[in-house]
Structure formats: C-alpha cells, structure tokens
Amino acid sequence: MHWKGIAAASGYAIGPAFLLKEMDVSIERRTVPADQIDGEISRFEQNVVQAVKELEEIKEQTRQKLGSEEAEIFSAHILVLQDPEFIGAVKEKLKADSINAEAALQDITENFVAMFENMDNEYMRERAADIRDVSGRVLKHLAGVEQQTIADSDQPVVLFAHDLTPSDTAQLDRERVAGFVTSIGGRTSHSAIMARSMGIPAVVGLKDVIDAVQPGDYVIVDGDEGDVYVNPDTATIEQYRAKQEKYKARVAQWEKIKDEPSITQDGYRVELVANIGNPHDAIGARKNGAEGIGLYRTEFLYMGKTDFPSEQEQFEAYKAVAETFAKQSPIIIRSLDIGGDKELPYLNLQREMNPFLGYRAIRLCLHEPELFKTQLRAILRASAHGNIKLMYPMIASIQELRQANKLLDEVKEELDAKSIPYNKEMEVGIMIEVPAAAMVADQLVKEVDFFSIGTNDLVQYTMAADRMNEKVSYLSQPFNPAVLRLIDKVITAARESGKWTGMCGEMAGNLTAIPILLGLGLSEFSMSAASILPARALLQKLRYEDTKKLAASVLQMETEEEIKEYVRREVPAIQEIRG
Ligand code: PEP
Ligand code: MG
C-alpha cells in the first residue's frame, strides 16, 4: 500500500506501525455483596494510587526530556485523581448501588464528562477530556489490562494518529519514535513545526490512514516527499535503507560546519538562527549550529498548564535561553501568540468560527493589558542578561504597534521607578504576517527596529487558505508570485530605512527559497534547528551577486511551479544538499 500526504518534516523513518488510538476496555458490571463493599473500595483506592504513581513517572520523564512546562500537562491529570469530589462520587456510587469499582467509575465518569462537555467555557470542556483520559487509565489498572506502550517495541516505531496536538508532539521520545503520520494537519500546523524542530520525519494530512494500517505493519515514511508505504516490497525497503544511509552521511558532513560562519562564496554574511518553543530547545539549537534565536514561541510556556506562568517563571525561562548562547548572540522573544491552532483553556475564550482570523496574538494581548504587561516586564528584566530583542506577532495596523509600544513604555517606567535593571536599548520589532502590514511596511518601519516575516501566516492570509486545512493545502504556496512580491516589498522598505529584515516562517529553512530570499536582501533566516546546517552548507556554495539576479528574474514569473523549477535548475547545489 502506498499513500501520498503532506511532507511535514524531513528524513526517512522505517519501522513497525504503532497506532495511537483509544484502547477499548470492556467493563464487566457486577453486584458486590454488602460484606465485600469495603474491600471493593480499597481495591479502587489502590488502583487510583497506582495510576497516580504512573502519572508521576510520566511527568518526571517528560520534565527531564522536555522541561517542566511540558510536564505540567500531567499535573492536570494527577489533580483529577486527587479531586475528592470526583473520587468521592465514585465511592458513593459503589456503596449506594452495590456495584463493582469499574462500573461505578464508568458511571461517574460519564456524569462528569457530560456535565463538563455541556459548559460553554472552553477550559471546562477541556477538563472533560482530562477526566476521560484519566478514568481510562484507572479502568485499565482495575481490569489488569497491560497497556501497550511504545516502550514495548524493541525497535523505534512509526506513530499513526488522527491528530497530534503540539503538546502530544512535545512528549514524543526521539529514541523510540522513528516518525509519525497523522490524518489531519498541514505543513505549517504547529505539530508539524514541532516535528521538524525535534528532527522526527513526519507526513500529515493523510485522511483515514489509521483505519487501513494494522499495529506492527512494516512502514516507511518519506518526510521529504510525503510518501507513506505500508508493508512495501523488499526493493522499496532496500531503496529507502540506502536513502537513509546517504542522509546520515550528509548529516555527518554538515556537522563539520557547525561552528563556521554563514557566509557566501563572495563574502556576504547573513545570520542563521533558530525557532524554539522552550528553553530546552535552545540547547538543541546551539548544538545544531544556530547563531542565536530568531523566534522564541513563548506561548508554549503558557500552554499545557492550569494557570498563567508567573512573571518570575517567564523571566527565568527567557534568561535561560539568553544564557544558552554567547552574550552578543541575538535572542528574539515573541510576545504571546495564542489563538489559531494554539489554545489556552484557562483563558476561557469563546469558540470562534474562524480562529485564524479572530481574537489571537497581539489582538488578545492588547485586550488583556495586565497579562501582556506581565510578559513585557519579564522580557525586559531578562534583557539585562543577553542580547534580547522583543517582537510582536500579527501586527495588522500601525495603531496596534503604537498601542503595544505604549504598554511597553509604561512597563519601562514602572521598572525605572523601582530601579530594576533592563536594557534600555532593547530592539523592538514586529512580525510581518498580515498582508496589510506588508503593504504599509514603509510606514511601519519608521517605528520599529526590525521586521521578521512570518510566512506561515503571511501565506495563509495572502492566499486565503487556512494553514490547518489539508483540502486547501495546494494553496499553501510560499513561492507564489503574490507572496514573493510582498516579501520583496517588506525587505525593500526596511533597507531604504537602514533597518534589517529576518524571516521566521518555515520558508526561511526551505533550500529552494534560500537563494531567492538571499537575493531579495533578507539578513536573518530563522528556522527549525535541524534545517540550520543544510542551510549553511547551501549558503557557503552560493554567490550573493548571482542570487540578486536570480531573485529579480523570479519576481517576473507567474507560477510557483515555474519559480521552483527555475531555481532548482539555476542552483544545482540545492539538489546536492537534498541528496
Ligand atoms: C509564522 O506565521 O510564520 C510564524 C513564524 O508564526 P507561527 O507559525 O507561530 O504562527
Ligand atoms: Mg504566525
């Protein structure tokens, strides 16, 4: 069997399929005689303790592997099992109806889930999923069902799931998960972005794939082309093993340029920096040759917890990132970008018809000044510890920029009043993600220090195609002339004012895009850590003067295909590096 999906994260994965879907545990209902009720209650309590212990272990493993923010997800699950109302209700039911623990737990779970699911508030609806999840864990313990875990497999597995949330992805163990395939999502959905930063090959947007695959089927995932083979013939397996070997050899080659500058043949230097989601990623970014951080997606510090991170917690996270790099290395911290496909249950946001066009990012922060100012204070305080720059996401109008800067000034005054140190020269930039902002870049540039182009959003808004919707993924075209002309407009506006432009959308790490962007005058390229070394290898083979001509020709072309073919023909180094 062969499928074609959306190539989401580079590399090849070969291994047995592991299906991530809810395991059904059939519940046996029985009456418990009066003299055995106490025993049944204590059986229930012991299994709850076991489940808590198991969750504590998972939480600790997650903390060690990915940091404390991600581990917090499991704290919410533990809280459910420590909630006297929930646990008490199960025991009451067991006693009142003289039924076994499994049956009582199932009944109470259904009541609680129905109650939470019917609430209008998003946070409460999310709790329903936690209760179901945790109750399933206890039921499996009660029923003595051995849970199949990825750790049971003697070789790394290929994970198949309907969807993986960004936090699911963050929990994947790179040693045990060779690759993953999901039925929904697009190339710039956040789980795809996380897969790239973790270096896990992935294909997304393959509808119904889960129903067709059996656990243990032998699978190949080609994260460059979007191909998935299930139980392929030996020739295909051989072919992919060879590809995998070559890929490993290329990676070993790239290692050698880890500490080299990002410089072209004719001596033109740019900055290659990384996109990260938490302080832990910064370590990986540095190991992969990043010269700094071009985008710290701070929302992951807020997600997967039950309440807002404190100012101190944020300050420590931002400072930790700065301290991972040398003092002068640029560290761009993006203010909170919640909304779209990134939810924050405890903010109690209403469901929206079009979340990507709705209440998100800077719109939300300007509406919640205290939330925003807490973050600004933490960023400013951290700026005393490194070359930290601040950047606002999703700016659509100059008024939003002014409003944000006004709040920043207020925070600076508060810090001054208390003599709290911060970098008074901290650079402040904006992301260009909305076509409206690109069109007035010449005006915006007068009030910022830099631009960073967010092509993931800029493409979806320019092409009016939701980045999460695989049905319109054919319109997700960063090389579309409309997008390239907007990018050109932004870079030109900045240059004319003596300012610089970077890019932190996924396009910045695309080998075919790099020669065009270089020729258009982009100064900073920010990408998943795994893309940095191949990008540097390519840059070292390019001549800046040639790419200027290439970019000028490309701007006259009509289709994305024509542009990509032209660039690949003109720049054979792209193919040499891709292999
Ligand atoms: C972008 O839109 O290109 C971007 C980098 O931001 P995010 O992917 O987090 O929306
Ligand atoms: Mg964006």
Side-chain angles (χ1 to χ4, degrees):
M1 263 187 301
H2 170 229
W3 283 286
K4 188 123 196 134
I6 300 166
S10 265
Y12 311 104
I14 307 179
F18 184 93
L19 273 54
L20 201 70
K21 53 181 176 186
E22 269 310 293
M23 207 187 309
D24 284 335
V25 179
S26 36
I27 302 292
E28 175 213 3
R29 263 179 190 270
R30 54 190 166 80
T31 308
V32 176
D35 61 343
Q36 289 173 24
I37 290 287
D38 285 347
E40 190 63 6
I41 289 183
S42 84
R43 187 170 75 91
F44 172 64
E45 287 172 342
Q46 280 161 18
N47 281 288
V48 170
V49 170
Q50 283 308 318
V52 171
K53 237 169 93 185
E54 186 177 88
L55 282 165
E56 294 280 7
E57 276 165 25
I58 299 176
K59 185 177 151 187
E60 180 51 26
Q61 283 163 10
T62 311
R63 198 188 57 74
Q64 287 175 9
K65 234 169 14 148
L66 295 163
S68 21
E69 290 156 48
E70 280 75 13
E72 277 307 302
I73 298 159
F74 298 102
S75 299
H77 286 200
I78 294 169
L79 280 181
V80 174
L81 290 182
Q82 288 168 342
D83 176 3
E85 244 181 82
F86 178 67
I87 297 299
V90 177
K91 292 194 232 170
E92 283 306 313
K93 178 88 183 158
L94 191 157
K95 261 196 252 175
D97 296 359
S98 307
I99 51 174
N100 59 329
E102 287 89 338
L105 175 60
Q106 193 183 37
D107 291 350
I108 295 299
T109 301
E110 271 163 25
N111 290 351
F112 270 67
V113 165
M115 184 172 78
F116 280 106
E117 271 180 349
N118 284 326
M119 295 185 175
D120 338 309
N121 146 337
E122 170 79 34
Y123 176 67
M124 291 303 177
R125 279 200 302 270
E126 291 270 331
R127 299 287 68 72
D130 285 343
I131 291 174
R132 193 177 275 125
D133 198 340
V134 165
S135 158
R137 188 176 295 278
V138 180
L139 278 176
K140 282 166 201 155
H141 276 279
L142 283 165
V145 174
E146 275 284 314
Q147 291 202 51
Q148 196 207 354
T149 67
I150 291 174
D152 295 338
S153 172
D154 54 4
Q155 51 178 314
V157 298
V158 175
L159 205 68
F160 283 77
H162 174 62
D163 186 20
L164 285 176
T165 63
S167 41
D168 289 335
T169 315
Q171 285 162 45
L172 297 181
D173 183 342
R174 185 68 194 88
E175 300 297 308
R176 303 208 159 268
V177 178
F180 75 75
V181 180
T182 61
S183 13
I184 69 163
R187 206 184 133 73
T188 57
S189 59
H190 283 92
S191 41
I193 291 173
M194 303 268 297
R196 276 197 288 286
S197 77
M198 295 167 79
I200 300 182
V203 172
V204 300
L206 265 179
K207 273 239 175 320
D208 304 328
V209 63
I210 305 257
D211 293 336
V213 175
Q214 298 297 319
D217 276 349
Y218 203 69
V219 185
I220 296 175
V221 175
D222 180 338
D224 288 317
E225 298 298 330
D227 291 306
V228 175
Y229 299 87
V230 175
N231 298 325
D233 54 27
T234 28
T236 313
I237 298 175
E238 288 305 315
Q239 184 197 340
Y240 271 91
R241 288 229 180 275
K243 282 189 179 205
Q244 222 177 13
E245 285 309 311
K246 275 197 185 160
Y247 183 72
K248 277 192 202 145
R250 286 201 302 280
V251 172
Q253 268 312 104
W254 297 333
E255 265 292 300
K256 298 185 187 144
I257 54 170
K258 197 165 81 64
D259 299 314
E260 288 185 8
S262 310
I263 200 160
T264 62
Q265 292 271 312
D266 48 349
Y268 186 78
R269 186 160 182 172
V270 294
E271 239 166 33
L272 286 187
V273 287
N275 294 350
I276 57 165
N278 61 50
H280 197 265
D281 292 347
I283 302 166
R286 181 149 193 202
K287 281 196 196 129
N288 275 284
E291 295 165 56
I293 300 300
L295 166 64
Y296 177 2
R297 288 187 166 93
T298 58
E299 46 280 4
F300 290 104
L301 192 57
Y302 291 68
M303 289 159 71
K305 354 173 42 111
T306 50
D307 206 351
F308 295 106
S310 66
E311 179 189 319
Q312 185 63 18
E313 201 176 334
Q314 296 190 50
F315 162 72
E316 276 161 19
Y318 306 152
K319 178 167 161 272
V321 172
E323 287 175 347
T324 303
F325 287 86
K327 192 100 180 135
Q328 284 319 308
S329 313
I331 307 291
I332 304 185
I333 302 186
R334 174 173 79 180
S335 61
L336 184 63
D337 181 2
I338 229 50
D341 62 338
K342 291 174 287 197
E343 294 183 353
L344 201 59
Y346 53 85
L347 244 182
N348 298 335
L349 297 176
Q350 278 177 352
R351 270 200 190 282
E352 295 184 338
M353 295 287 281
N354 293 300
F356 276 109
L357 296 183
Y359 187 52
R360 63 171 288 206
I362 196 71
R363 303 167 182 190
L364 185 150
C365 286
L366 293 176
H367 207 255
E368 299 275 350
E370 280 319 308
L371 163 72
F372 190 38
K373 283 172 78 175
T374 304
Q375 180 173 40
L376 294 179
R377 212 173 294 122
I379 296 174
L380 277 169
R381 281 175 54 204
S383 73
H385 299 268
N387 183 12
I388 285 181
K389 303 169 201 278
L390 163 68
M391 139 170 116
Y392 307 126
M394 282 286 291
I395 292 287
S397 72
I398 203 157
Q399 291 98 322
E400 285 174 333
L401 168 62
R402 289 179 182 156
Q403 260 180 286
N405 275 336
K406 186 163 169 286
L407 293 169
L408 183 68
D409 286 341
E410 282 175 25
V411 176
K412 285 183 180 174
E413 275 169 29
E414 287 161 23
L415 292 178
D416 287 338
K418 291 187 184 153
S419 306
I420 297 176
Y422 66 93
N423 173 13
K424 296 202 184 314
E425 308 300 319
M426 182 181 76
E427 285 186 33
V428 180
I430 58 172
M431 290 188 69
I432 302 284
E433 307 185 86
V434 181
M439 292 305 291
V440 297
D442 58 327
Q443 297 173 337
L444 290 165
V445 76
K446 300 195 181 107
E447 301 185 26
V448 298
D449 294 309
F450 64 91
F451 287 142
S452 181
I453 307 177
T455 46
N456 306 339
D457 279 315
L458 186 63
V459 172
Q460 77 163 340
Y461 297 134
T462 305
M463 304 303 291
D466 186 338
R467 63 196 261 195
M468 293 294 289
N469 186 338
E470 63 280 2
K471 289 211 188 77
V472 292
S473 66
Y474 75 98
L475 284 169
S476 172
Q477 297 183 2
F479 295 85
N480 186 286
V483 176
L484 292 177
R485 287 181 187 195
L486 285 175
I487 293 173
D488 178 43
K489 206 172 173 60
V490 174
I491 299 175
T492 306
R495 280 207 143 176
E496 284 172 356
S497 284
K499 310 273 170 78
W500 60 272
T501 305
M503 178 179 285
C504 58
E506 291 300 304
M507 185 183 191
N510 180 313
L511 293 177
T512 310
I514 288 172
I516 307 177
L517 299 170
L518 181 72
L520 290 176
L522 196 78
S523 311
E524 178 238 41
F525 296 68
S526 190
M527 59 195 73
S528 309
S531 306
I532 288 177
L533 292 177
R536 181 168 298 144
L538 175 62
L539 271 166
Q540 293 183 342
K541 290 178 190 273
L542 298 176
R543 281 179 45 84
Y544 174 55
E545 287 304 320
D546 295 345
T547 62
K548 281 208 269 191
K549 288 185 209 127
L550 179 101
S553 311
V554 156
L555 284 178
Q556 301 313 314
M557 294 181 182
E558 290 169 352
T559 67
E560 154 146 311
E561 273 319 304
E562 183 188 358
I563 292 171
K564 286 203 274 195
E565 272 168 29
Y566 173 75
V567 175
R568 286 176 192 157
R569 213 174 36 244
E570 290 293 309
V571 189
I574 297 172
Q575 196 48 42
E576 286 164 29
I577 291 168
R578 290 177 85 198

